[in-house]
Amino acid sequence: MTDKRKFYINGEWVAPSRPNDLEVVDPSTEEAVAVISLGDQADTDRAVAAAKAAFPAWSRTPPAERLAYVEKILDIYKRRAKEMAAAMTSEMGAPSDMSLSSQVGAGIYHIENFITAFKNFEFVRPLGDHAPTTMMAWEPVGVVGLITPWNWPMNQVTLKVIPALLAGDTAILKPSEIAPLSSMLFAEIVHEAGLPKGVFNLVNGDGAGVGTQLSTHSDVDMISFTGSTRAGIAITKAAADSLKKVALELGGKGANLVFADADHKAVERGARHCFNNSGQSCNAPTRMLVERSIYDQAVEAAAKVAKETAVASAHQAGRHIGPVVSKLQWDKIQGLIQQGISEGARLVAGGPGLPEGVNRGYFVRPTVFADVNNEMTIARQEIFGPVLSLIPFDSEEEAVEIANDTIYGLTNYVQSQDGERRNRLARRLRAGMIEMNGEGLGAGSAFGGVKASGRAREGGVTGLEEFMDSKQISAWSAKA
């Protein structure tokens, strides 16, 4: 078991102020692979003080210099990709091949997109031709607390740390205590890139401890949080007294609208997307709404995908899904699967219990429910496991009504060959992102939602602006 009882503060790896150990458990084996220490108020205060002290100089660093540091981070990140993949496989159960290609790859993708966006970013822009001497300037927010989840560790770390650094902010990262090893490796990468002391700091801890301490700290100017809606509400309340900026990227219950004219791969594609990362994605299309004329075929196709989706150790090579992250998560998913059965949904694949041939590890059977209605618990709650619910509809109007009948609003999906219909639905569906016909959003698109999914916007130019404040300036001299 690896000893990771240290924090990265002010450019150094330091011991915690007092012992408060927590084991990091490999979800494939249920065995502890590392021990970390949870920080307390003294550790948080030390990290915030370091970030505050570093902010004046870092915020005045020329943008080209900040960009050069991020380019170094990218180079080192790529070089240490295999180490990073191994860390995520051990801490949160991403299968080794998927961990390298998708989990590590997400970090590369976002850093590269931020670099592209930053190269053309205008920090001072004219308001318009009607007001030639009025400018809008973008300034760093200040000291930012970054709280990241366990399901896509480097996806979320890079979506927060990189734009904060480019913006001129200084940062304290609190990764999930369940999956902290990849973030500690990321801190090593940042250190190797040679950032000035105090610009980037890392303190491990849980939400009730370091998370709350950052959210309430008077010297923290912004909190960027990704996680559950419940925790996002708590953070918002905790941050209210200090009036800090709060950016929340929260849960989802994505609807995938499959019309009779959808391409022949639409149902299979949607089911695979739902099961990807063992269903542990906030933008997973977990509700498949299917036009009634093709509903029976869709049920059959989705069940086939579930039955053909292999489940195996994350340390095993190949195309399969791994475990879910923890026993707590496994128990929650099992309870919701059983609730689906109890409430009358028709189980057509998977179900409760471990997959065949498995006697340890937090593995979940890829599960498909048919004949679900939108009042059932499995259609309302974010399950965060490989569980797909199929709901029939008779008209476009009904499909929209069902899709929007949720507290969430992160990502919705549409499958149809009718371009006019796609355009209509893209505007009527209440979500921050609409993906259609299997086409992903373009590089640099902002990731984020509405309603209980939070209203953060991460990635590209919008993601850079998220970590800045706008300033309006009059009587700007073009001759200066």
Side-chain angles (χ1 to χ4, degrees), residues 19 68 108 110 121 192 220 240 282 288 331 395 448 454 472 474:
I108 294 171
H110 292 311
F121 193 86
E192 187 177 343
V220 173
C282 52
M288 184 178 287
D331 286 341
S395 67
Q472 315 305 308
S474 70

Side-chain angles (χ1 to χ4, degrees), residues 167-225:
D169 300 315
T170 53
I172 304 100
L173 172 64
K174 189 211 82 66
S176 167
E177 69 276 18
I178 298 173
L181 305 181
S182 55
S183 291
M184 297 182 79
L185 177 56
F186 185 83
E188 292 180 18
I189 291 169
V190 172
H191 181 78
E192 187 177 343
L195 262 69
K197 290 184 176 181
V199 171
F200 172 82
N201 308 272
L202 180 149
V203 179
N204 283 318
D206 57 17
V210 175
T212 299
Q213 292 156 18
L214 288 171
S215 300
T216 57
H217 205 293
S218 59
D219 288 333
V220 173
D221 300 292
M222 173 182 175
I223 291 289
S224 177
F225 169 79

Side-chain angles (χ1 to χ4, degrees), residues 77-342:
Y77 182 94
K78 288 179 177 178
R79 173 162 52 81
R80 303 190 70 173
K82 289 185 178 179
E83 292 175 74
M84 184 64 76
M88 288 188 280
T89 291
S90 293
E91 68 185 1
M92 53 75 59
S96 56
D97 291 349
M98 180 263 191
S99 188
L100 186 59
S101 63
S102 298
Q103 291 278 3
V104 173
I108 294 171
Y109 177 80
H110 292 311
I111 298 173
E112 289 179 340
N113 288 337
F114 279 126
I115 288 172
T116 298
F118 191 73
K119 286 179 178 177
N120 298 311
F121 193 86
E122 294 181 88
F123 283 89
V124 181
R125 314 169 192 171
L127 182 63
D129 293 340
H130 68 291
T133 59
T134 297
M135 294 289 171
M136 178 171 65
W138 290 93
E139 309 283 0
V141 173
V143 176
V144 299
L146 311 174
I147 304 175
T148 56
W150 47 260
N151 59 320
W152 285 91
M154 284 303 104
N155 183 78
Q156 292 306 131
V157 166
T158 55
L159 277 172
K160 297 183 190 299
V161 174
I162 298 303
L165 297 180
L166 289 171
D169 300 315
T170 53
I172 304 100
L173 172 64
K174 189 211 82 66
S176 167
E177 69 276 18
I178 298 173
L181 305 181
S182 55
S183 291
M184 297 182 79
L185 177 56
F186 185 83
E188 292 180 18
I189 291 169
V190 172
H191 181 78
E192 187 177 343
L195 262 69
K197 290 184 176 181
V199 171
F200 172 82
N201 308 272
L202 180 149
V203 179
N204 283 318
D206 57 17
V210 175
T212 299
Q213 292 156 18
L214 288 171
S215 300
T216 57
H217 205 293
S218 59
D219 288 333
V220 173
D221 300 292
M222 173 182 175
I223 291 289
S224 177
F225 169 79
T226 298
S228 71
T229 298
R230 175 199 56 77
I233 293 169
I235 284 171
T236 302
K237 291 178 178 178
D241 287 344
S242 54
L243 295 174
K244 56 175 54 64
K245 183 176 183 178
V246 177
L248 303 175
E249 198 279 286
L250 307 175
K253 194 69 183 175
N256 185 6
L257 281 59
V258 182
F259 288 85
D261 67 343
D263 68 87
H264 71 286
K265 291 281 191 181
V267 172
E268 177 185 344
R269 184 171 62 240
R272 292 194 186 284
H273 191 173
C274 176
F275 300 149
N276 185 47
N277 202 40
S278 300
Q280 300 171 125
S281 299
C282 52
N283 63 340
T286 54
R287 292 182 297 152
M288 184 178 287
L289 281 51
V290 184
E291 193 164 5
R292 197 173 297 275
S293 63
I294 61 166
Y295 180 72
D296 290 341
Q297 302 99 290
V299 171
E300 184 178 339
K304 184 173 184 288
V305 171
K307 292 169 184 175
E308 292 176 350
T309 299
V311 182
S313 168
H315 301 282
Q316 180 177 314
R319 290 191 64 180
H320 57 274
I321 64 171
V324 296
V325 74
S326 66
K327 180 65 162 58
L328 182 67
Q329 187 68 15
W330 190 88
D331 286 341
K332 174 193 170 187
I333 296 165
Q334 296 302 309
L336 287 166
I337 290 173
Q338 190 58 57
Q339 196 158 357
I341 295 169
S342 300

Side-chain angles (χ1 to χ4, degrees), residues 341-352:
I341 295 169
S342 300
E343 292 181 3
R346 177 161 57 101
L347 182 67
V348 296

Side-chain angles (χ1 to χ4, degrees), residues 57-74:
W58 180 250
S59 63
R60 294 193 299 269
T61 302
E65 190 173 328
R66 298 201 296 270
L67 177 62
Y69 278 118
V70 169
E71 289 173 333
K72 286 182 186 178
I73 290 171
L74 176 60

